[in-house]
Amino acid sequence: MMRDKHIPVLKEEVLTLLNVKPEGVYADCTMGYGGHGREILSRLDGGIYLGIDKDLYAIEQSAVWREGYAARVIIAKDDYKNLSNIALENGLDGFDGILVDMGVSSVQFDDKSRGFSYHDEGRLDMRMDTQSILTAYEIVNTYSEKELTEILYRYGEEKNAPRIARAIVQARSAGPVEKTTHLTEIIKKAYPPKERYQQKHPARKTYQALRIAVNSELEQLDKAIEEMVGLLKKEGVLCMISFHSLEDRIVKETFRRLSQGCTCPKDFPVCVCGAKADLKLLTKKAVVPSVEEVVANRRSRSAKLRAIKRV
């Protein structure tokens, strides 16, 4: 069932960039339901596959698809930002490839009880790790109007943040906002009438902001990238797939900084710092899905893939 529901985004592009070696060591840092993982495992022969996910259900379901491959398989319930510690705990001193797919899986979106979708009714939750404490319900029902506005501005880049935050606070004065459908209606009514029925759903940015806040998705992302790059073996590749501009901006700027080598001011005629780049950008521009992939999987439309290699 998981195999049918979960469609890996930019699968061929990821596999081309990773160039999986049969005896290599690979980390699938947001394993999900094995969309990319099965493809990596199918190319290993004596190598090692490390699958990481915060979602307990994804960990449990991995038992269904991870068996029968000619590789050592390690599964860890953890945050990919802790990859250094996970590697140390499992005796891994480096990786030939690391993949981070930062999107919410189709399985999570389609599970109404998880509260990720503004189309379906479910309890406000949005936790990727169902054992963590903070939920969207708590943010929506307890954060101040100012805090809500800041979250919507910062993580959703929502220009109507003040109107939406004010509407949420007013609505919850009559009782808790418990369901996604209730929140969606509040957002719709808060939107200016002329913008309410445009092509993109008015709740899209608010749900993105709440999800990012609940799961601390951007917290120390740049530091995590630096640590992952430090774990790459020679010729090792780090691939990162993002689904919104905030993530992609951090990945792009961190990759550029790590691969630039010389740190001398631009007006210096010659390099005096002596710094040499041991990392190479494999993607000058972000790789995006083809028209055919977007038609086949609409949720892939905002995906951006960037990769960097140790040389």
Side-chain angles (χ1 to χ4, degrees), residues 5-6 14 69 73 84 89 119 123 125 148 170 177 183 187 195 199 219 224 236-237 249 263 272 279 290 296 300:
K5 280 191 173 184
H6 182 62
V14 165
Y69 293 99
V73 177
S84 294
E89 290 169 1
H119 292 297
R123 182 173 172 81
D125 192 317
L148 287 169
Q170 289 174 350
V177 180
L183 177 61
I187 297 166
E195 300 177 29
Q199 185 177 6
E219 187 176 324
V237 174
R249 194 176 304 143
T263 58
V272 296
L279 295 163
S290 65
S300 71

Side-chain angles (χ1 to χ4, degrees), residues 102-119:
M102 293 182 279
V104 179
S105 78
S106 295
V107 176
Q108 290 172 326
F109 260 123
D110 293 338
D111 184 347
K112 297 176 184 180
S113 69
R114 304 293 291 270
F116 286 110
S117 173
Y118 43 77
H119 292 297

